[in-house]
Amino acid sequence: MAESDGSVLTPGQQIKATLNLHKAKSLVELRYGLAVRNIVELDAYDDRNYRVECDDEHCSNPHLTNVSKYGYVLKIVNSLDSSKTGLIEAQTGLLLYLDKSGFTCPVPVQQIDGTYFSVESLGEPAHERRHILRLLVYRPGEILRNKCQSSSIELLTKLGYFTAELNKNMQGYSHPAYETHSSIWFLSSVPKIRVFISALDSKNDIDLVENIIQNFERQVLTATNNFDSGLIHGDLNESNIIVSEDGSEIAAIIDFGDSHINCFIFELAICLSYMIVQTKSIESARYILEGYQNVRRLPDQEKSVLKLCVCARLSQSLVLGTYSYQKEPTNKYLVRDHEVKWLLLKKVWAMENKDLMNLWNLDV
């Protein structure tokens, strides 16, 4: 499964940074010239993320005209992605581009020396690894996860519209690093989860996922040249979408760490996968699709594989989440919603495609 350049996660590989809150705080103060008032760690898969609040009266960073009253997010990138400095440069440029284009996203902050990131050696001397350090402006609001149970049809429709508009706008940006970037989390990488599938307890579950992988290889991966593609966010989940306090508007989009070039139908399927889990309703995808198609109409060939793409993403999330949890058993974030994901995966997979298309108001 491993690629020759070591760019994709392999079983047993430890890539998450090892450090405590004191070290994280000192890095912010050293590299960014900010006086940290409070710092807490946030949930994350492979990176270390921290919410950082700073004293607005003490700042020695010549590149900061003012200290954000909402604070910042400190990201300490996993050691695998930290070897891809070109990719971090690409993501930095994308965020600056989107900010100028009117999209609210986490704007990167320059360090004291004017750079947007640094590479730090972290961990015990015998197990020291190099990790990229970044600081991004924190975007206030509620994560969509906290509002999903009360999500209105209007908000889901707006989410679909936003997804299509975001992808449309992202095509105005390019960077060479995106041309060669690969990750286990790309939907196109679904076959690579086979080496992690033994993490699942049930043979029936293993057989189900293998069946989905085989169909995905045969029906989707052989046809990707026929699908529209471009730069996508890559992880439109319930924690990366920020909504207004009253839950009526999309306020911001965060975490572009999985941004890459791929099929637009993959972006949509990823969004649908997480939203049907959060709403606990397969039908809720109907409203996201309605908003999406107000911007970009789905070709029939993409509609025909949408069910398979949704099931592939749910399988990918379940397998990699279960595997990661076995390596980090105190991190419940890695397996949250797994019971609901399995339930909905099995329900969607059992549905006839024509019945699902009817439920989602799609004609094929």
Side-chain angles (χ1 to χ4, degrees), residues 27-291:
L27 285 169
V28 174
E29 295 177 338
L30 176 66
R31 300 301 183 204
Y32 292 92
L34 291 163
V36 177
R37 188 171 65 245
N38 188 48
I39 182 169
V40 294
E41 187 164 6
L42 305 173
D43 291 331
Y45 251 89
D46 298 322
D47 298 333
R48 293 282 184 189
N49 295 334
Y50 302 86
R51 171 80 186 278
V52 182
E53 296 173 286
C54 300
D55 187 339
D56 59 5
E57 296 181 0
H58 298 88
C59 175
S60 60
N61 189 330
H63 306 286
L64 270 178
T65 55
N66 56 69
V67 177
S68 172
K69 65 179 181 179
Y70 299 113
Y72 303 91
V73 173
L74 172 68
K75 290 188 71 72
I76 301 179
V77 181
N78 67 77
S79 59
L80 184 63
D81 288 338
S82 289
S83 66
K84 310 169 188 175
T85 54
L87 178 62
I88 303 301
E89 291 171 356
Q91 293 172 9
T92 298
L94 174 60
L95 289 169
L96 294 171
Y97 166 79
L98 288 173
D99 178 60
K100 289 181 180 178
S101 301
F103 283 84
T104 304
C105 59
V107 178
V109 178
Q110 288 173 283
Q111 298 189 353
I112 291 175
D113 64 1
T115 60
Y116 280 102
F117 63 88
S118 58
V119 181
E120 309 289 339
S121 295
L122 300 172
E124 296 299 322
H127 303 285
E128 201 173 65
R129 292 191 298 269
R130 293 167 64 81
H131 296 272
I132 283 178
L133 178 78
R134 310 172 70 197
L135 195 70
L136 308 162
V137 175
Y138 180 85
R139 292 307 187 183
E142 288 281 345
I143 59 172
L144 184 56
R145 176 180 176 83
N146 294 342
K147 296 291 183 179
C148 273
Q149 296 308 312
S150 57
S151 291
S152 63
I153 290 174
E154 289 76 17
L155 180 61
L156 293 172
T157 304
K158 288 175 182 177
L159 176 57
Y161 184 92
F162 179 87
T163 299
E165 278 291 322
L166 177 65
N167 282 172
K168 180 180 177 181
N169 194 274
M170 288 174 71
Q171 305 323 303
Y173 176 80
S174 64
H175 191 284
Y178 280 127
E179 300 293 335
T180 56
H181 178 38
S182 59
S183 167
I184 191 68
W185 280 105
F186 291 2
L187 199 58
S188 53
S189 295
V190 159
K192 295 175 182 176
I193 68 173
R194 281 192 174 104
V195 296
F196 301 96
I197 206 170
S198 60
L200 302 179
D201 292 330
S202 164
K203 184 180 184 303
N204 288 338
D205 290 344
I206 291 174
D207 290 344
L208 169 63
V209 171
E210 177 59 36
N211 190 15
I212 291 169
I213 293 172
Q214 290 179 13
N215 279 275
F216 186 79
E217 288 175 317
R218 184 169 58 250
Q219 298 178 42
V220 179
L221 293 185
T222 59
T224 53
N225 288 339
N226 299 323
F227 302 148
D228 293 335
S229 64
L231 190 57
I232 64 174
H233 178 278
D235 194 20
L236 289 179
N237 67 47
E238 70 282 359
S239 295
N240 290 338
I241 300 161
I242 308 299
V243 298
S244 56
E245 294 293 341
D246 64 1
S248 64
E249 301 290 338
I250 306 296
I253 179 70
I254 64 174
D255 197 350
F256 283 75
D258 286 317
S259 55
H260 65 286
I261 295 172
N262 223 320
C263 305
F264 294 140
I265 190 65
F266 291 174
E267 181 92 292
L268 178 59
I270 289 168
C271 180
L272 295 183
S273 302
Y274 290 115
M275 289 306 105
I276 65 173
V277 170
Q278 292 305 307
T279 59
K280 298 181 174 65
S281 165
I282 297 172
E283 187 179 7
S284 67
R286 175 185 188 133
Y287 309 112
I288 298 170
L289 286 161
E290 180 182 329

